[in-house]
Amino acid sequence: MRARIIVTLKSGVLDPQGEAIKNSLNALGFENINSVRQGKLFEIDIDEDDREKSLKSVKDMCRKLLVNQVIEKYSIELDDASKN
Amino acid sequence: MRARIIVTLKSGVLDPQGEAIKNSLNALGFENINSVRQGKLFEIDIDEDDREKSLKSVKDMCRKLLVNQVIEKYSIELDDASKN
């Protein structure tokens, strides 16, 4: 099973990296940008066919290592690997 | 219009960061992991309602700043901001 985990900053949290990217894009001539937020993405291929078990396992990984839940939120998409 | 840009390493490119995360997850007791790949995510809110123009503009941003096309590939999802 393949899991795609998308981690983004919670909405109230300042994102200086996103702000820097916005400034760089402005400097390159892209003037119509309201905001840029940067996030992280993890693609994990796990050796488990059961969706429920996979989801539980991936949630555990997020809580224990991948996500700082004080400032970040995450979403998980599961894909059956055989489809890819 | 909101654009979500997902940037990942091309499939042949080594991902030492992903490998390090895999090792850390193994050390935490997650044994059934085949691979971990890390990517980047940009959420850009642009002041443009036309989908075609937005897509063209975002593709330009990817080529000029956000993506290193030698080793990375990207995908763009557009969301009408009014729906959010």
Side-chain angles (χ1 to χ4, degrees), chain A residues 4-13 15 37-42 59 62-63 66-76, chain B residues 2 4 41 43 84:
Chain A
R4 168 176 277 190
I5 304 160
I6 286 177
V7 181
T8 51
L9 288 169
K10 289 181 179 175
S11 56
V13 179
D15 182 0
R37 306 276 288 174
Q38 176 155 22
K40 287 180 293 185
L41 174 88
F42 303 100
K59 274 187 184 170
C62 287
R63 278 191 291 257
L66 303 176
V67 181
N68 177 355
Q69 289 190 88
V70 177
I71 57 169
E72 293 171 332
K73 56 188 164 63
Y74 65 96
S75 65
I76 298 169
Chain B
R2 293 173 76 91
R4 168 176 278 191
L41 174 89
E43 288 177 335
N84 296 325

Side-chain angles (χ1 to χ4, degrees), chain A residues 5-64:
Chain A
I5 304 160
I6 286 177
V7 181
T8 51
L9 288 169
K10 289 181 179 175
S11 56
V13 179
L14 281 179
D15 182 0
Q17 195 171 2
E19 197 60 28
I21 294 167
K22 177 173 180 284
N23 292 339
S24 297
L25 287 170
N26 287 154
L28 284 171
F30 299 101
E31 298 290 355
N32 57 349
I33 299 171
N34 295 326
S35 73
V36 178
R37 306 276 288 174
Q38 176 155 22
K40 287 180 293 185
L41 174 88
F42 303 100
E43 287 176 335
I44 300 183
D45 188 357
I46 52 177
D47 196 9
E48 169 64 66
D49 290 332
D50 185 83
R51 286 187 76 87
E52 283 301 310
K53 284 184 189 165
S54 300
L55 190 60
K56 186 179 173 304
S57 182
V58 172
K59 274 187 184 170
D60 264 4
M61 293 177 201
C62 287
R63 278 191 291 257
K64 287 188 180 164

